[in-house]
Amino acid sequence: MTTAPATQTIPLGGPTLPQERRVTTAIPGPRSQEILDRKASAVAAGVGHTVPIAAVAAGGGVVVDADGNSLIDLGSGIAVTTVGVAHPKVVEAIAAQAAQLTHTCFMISPYESYVAVAEALNRLTPGDHEKKSALFNSGAEAVENAVKIARKHTGRQAVVAFDHAYHGRTNLTMGLTAKAMPYKSGFGPFASEIYRVGASYPFRDRLSGADAAAKAISSIEKQIGADNLAAVIIEPIQGEGGFIVPADGFLSAIAQWCRDNGVVFIADEVQSGFARTGAMFASELFGVVPDLVTTAKGIAGGMPLAAVTGRADIMDSAHAGGLGGTYGGNPVACAAALAAIDAFENDGLIERAQQIEELLLTRLRAMAEADPRIGDVRGRGAMIAAEFVDPATGAPDAALTSAVAKAAIADGVIVLTCGTYGNVIRFLPPLSISDELLSEGLDVVASALQAN
Ligand code: PLZ
């Protein structure tokens, strides 16, 4: 429970939080500023922040700060609180589980909730083949383990990742990630046997899915050779790289080539998974059945949990004791995941993501029509983006993008940027947001664009 400062009333999180944008101080206000000053002294400078508030409560479609400002949330803590922050089912499950059992270590004495999450993931991920799962703490850890499993299964070492990829901040996943700043610069050396090939970026490469895939496959065959390749890892819709939706046929051609060559096809659905794209998993939108799927973020309504799920024969290739970690599949995180998965399956959240897609695309396309600095509007479900360019040249306009995001935040709307060129504003609201708040958030972004 959040304790409100004595001098003011700050509502608690959850569905009771007033669903309104309310900015009564400069952002940051004085209380947030105090905490941010302490952050600057106490927290390592490398841990940045993009929205200069200190959050005290959140729920529905708003985040409330220490000064009582209520900001419209179009970021979901980077696609995590997809069911909504403080979803009642999730809160109840966390409280009950915390009172019962917080930890035994699943590798010491197993418990049912971990098994139930694995069963749910085996059932929900694409494909009706026999599957198994293993649970971890973060998206990066899931990716690391997917690569370990693929290497053990194939007896091969090389891994292919794509341009614009993001897979995490640990050493292996930094190596898989395509962007130097801020993720990699100065942090090398990176792991060996990682190879990068071109992705499909229809707005910039103008290639068909088949042509982009043929190019990538040709690079793979020339640089590595299928016989040496353990896995290809790809985000079905690239997240940090710019919410890039591949051209039709790209993913399925890559997946087919992997199948033909005994290469493990890993879909990194850490950002795109769990109803975010208007399907339970984005792979489904492209008719692709991955061998392994990595998940995290939305899986547990805000609790740290991640997973690798996939073909039972591949998942079982690691020897007993070869996979794990002290906290992987923590009981409280698993209880939260079971509640969140219940919400994904039974509260119409996939349909809600589709409605949000409709609203966001309609508004953003109208904005793009009126303002040629929006070069592209794309995405699926509640994972939608606008790419900002110089209308004369099509060159990425990162300065405009950051100015618009900053202005929107100052006016009470949390928006996040992304993109290899830093020129994309991404909209990934919690699915619990109302249409009214979502529209108001877009009004604010539109005014921010006009003012810049
Ligand atoms: N794979 C596809 O999107 C995390 C990173 C934010 P972790 N994306 C947000 C940042 O700046 O650190 C992500 C992802 C995809 C893997 C990850 C990594 O997930 O839970 O952050 O480790």
Side-chain angles (χ1 to χ4, degrees):
M1 296 254 286
T2 310
T3 311
T7 50
Q8 63 180 159
T9 315
I10 293 175
L12 297 177
T16 55
L17 203 55
Q19 294 299 297
E20 61 181 13
R21 180 171 63 102
R22 190 180 63 243
V23 181
T24 57
T25 70
I27 292 198
R31 284 171 184 279
S32 284
Q33 189 60 61
E34 236 176 82
I35 294 165
L36 295 176
D37 289 344
R38 281 169 53 202
K39 173 187 182 258
S41 311
V43 179
V47 185
H49 64 266
T50 58
V51 178
I53 59 166
V56 295
V62 297
V63 174
V64 174
D65 75 10
D67 297 282
N69 297 307
S70 173
L71 288 80
I72 297 175
D73 181 11
L74 301 185
S76 304
I78 326 190
V80 170
T81 55
T82 308
V83 293
V85 180
H87 186 289
K89 283 180 183 169
V90 175
V91 172
E92 204 180 304
I94 290 172
Q97 185 58 51
Q100 188 76 19
L101 172 79
T102 56
H103 179 81
T104 61
C105 187
F106 192 77
M107 301 182 303
I108 305 298
S109 34
Y111 36 87
E112 185 182 0
S113 56
Y114 183 122
V115 178
V117 171
E119 288 166 346
L121 289 167
N122 298 345
R123 178 168 54 79
L124 291 172
T125 48
D128 48 17
H129 49 281
E130 197 195 337
K131 290 175 223 152
K132 287 197 167 178
S133 291
L135 305 185
F136 304 98
N137 301 293
S138 68
E141 212 187 331
V143 169
E144 293 252 356
N145 279 281
V147 170
K148 278 167 69 170
I149 293 164
R151 283 178 167 157
K152 189 77 201 249
H153 174 72
T154 56
R156 305 171 182 172
Q157 294 183 348
V159 180
V160 160
F162 288 81
D163 275 345
H164 315 292
Y166 183 92
H167 298 291
R169 293 177 182 268
T170 57
N171 185 268
L172 178 66
T173 60
M174 271 193 293
L176 294 169
T177 292
K179 194 173 174 182
M181 277 301 282
Y183 306 122
K184 302 169 73 168
S185 194
F187 298 142
F190 304 112
S192 59
E193 288 305 314
I194 293 172
Y195 299 85
R196 189 169 313 286
V197 301
S200 168
Y201 193 160
F203 174 62
R204 296 206 165 270
D205 66 24
R206 305 282 169 197
L207 290 176
S208 72
D211 287 351
K215 246 177 114 169
I217 289 165
S218 160
S219 312
I220 293 172
E221 287 175 341
K222 288 198 191 80
Q223 287 185 52
I224 311 152
D227 289 354
N228 300 305
L229 185 57
V232 167
I233 182 163
I234 189 162
E235 303 152 80
I237 294 178
Q238 292 183 308
E240 302 303 308
F243 280 26
I244 304 165
V245 182
D248 282 346
F250 176 75
L251 280 179
S252 50
I254 300 282
Q256 185 60 49
W257 181 88
C258 287
R259 211 163 14 252
D260 294 344
N261 289 280
V263 174
V264 178
F265 180 84
I266 306 170
D268 182 349
E269 294 248 20
V270 165
Q271 189 152 172
S272 59
F274 294 103
R276 175 56 57 189
T277 63
M280 194 61 90
F281 293 97
S283 297
E284 296 165 34
L285 300 170
F286 306 99
V288 165
V289 176
D291 296 314
L292 300 181
V293 180
T294 54
T295 52
K297 291 191 185 279
I299 188 175
M303 295 297 284
L305 188 71
V308 183
T309 301
R311 294 188 183 280
D313 61 319
I314 300 179
M315 290 299 294
D316 277 341
S317 47
H319 47 274
L323 303 175
T326 305
Y327 294 112
N330 167 271
V332 181
C334 284
L338 292 173
I341 289 168
D342 178 8
F344 286 124
E345 288 201 279
N346 300 314
D347 294 358
L349 292 184
I350 289 178
E351 294 73 22
R352 181 63 192 140
Q354 292 165 357
Q355 291 163 3
I356 288 175
E357 168 179 326
E358 172 81 24
L359 194 153
L360 282 172
L361 286 181
T362 307
R363 286 290 309 270
L364 290 169
R365 283 183 180 144
M367 279 166 66
E369 198 103 317
D371 192 329
R373 294 176 299 170
I374 300 182
D376 193 29
V377 172
R378 59 178 177 253
R380 297 282 189 279
M383 187 172 182
I384 302 289
E387 174 159 355
F388 293 85
V389 298
D390 175 340
T393 62
D397 194 341
L400 173 65
T401 308
S402 127
V404 171
K406 281 207 171 74
I409 291 166
D411 212 5
V413 178
I414 296 177
V415 286
L416 311 178
T417 62
C418 64
T420 294
Y421 314 106
N423 68 325
V424 176
I425 289 186
R426 52 175 152 174
F427 300 90
L428 56 173
L431 302 179
S432 52
I433 197 170
S434 67
D435 282 356
E436 293 69 30
L437 273 187
L438 191 52
S439 296
E440 188 180 341
L442 288 168
D443 292 340
V444 168
V445 172
S447 324
L449 179 59
Q450 264 162 26
N452 276 280

